[in-house]
Amino acid sequence: ADPSGERESIDYAKGWEADTYHGTARLSAFGAAGGKRDAFVRFPEKHAAIIILTNDETADARGMAEKIADRLLSAKAGTKH
């Protein structure tokens, strides 16, 4: 923890990618190994997480997570999708 109370932006932390998605802070980890696909996405400010696990090597786990995120973020913002 930073004793000054200030936070620095980071691009990568312990396996997580830190960025923004449609203006909302996002932490994410995506994987593909041995025919499996996965996505673990967190939106800390929204107190929300999306987890996709599949054994389908043709699945687009990242795309699935982003479609869910689009709906989740629009619902949290009060807009209909």
Side-chain angles (χ1 to χ4, degrees), residues 32-79:
K36 299 172 183 73
R37 301 286 185 265
D38 60 78
F40 192 155
V41 181
R42 293 182 58 221
F43 294 98
E45 296 169 4
K46 303 294 184 183
H47 304 284
I50 300 165
I51 301 170
I52 306 290
L53 303 171
T54 179
N55 289 331
D56 182 351
E57 66 185 23
T58 65
D60 179 7
R62 180 186 206 118
M64 289 180 210
E66 289 179 349
K67 284 183 182 180
I68 294 168
D70 290 342
R71 294 186 64 107
L72 175 79
L73 295 175
S74 67
K76 293 254 181 193
T79 59

Side-chain angles (χ1 to χ4, degrees), residues 17-31:
E17 181 178 336
D19 63 2
T20 59
Y21 184 77
H22 296 300
T24 302
R26 171 175 73 172
L27 298 171
S28 58
F30 301 100

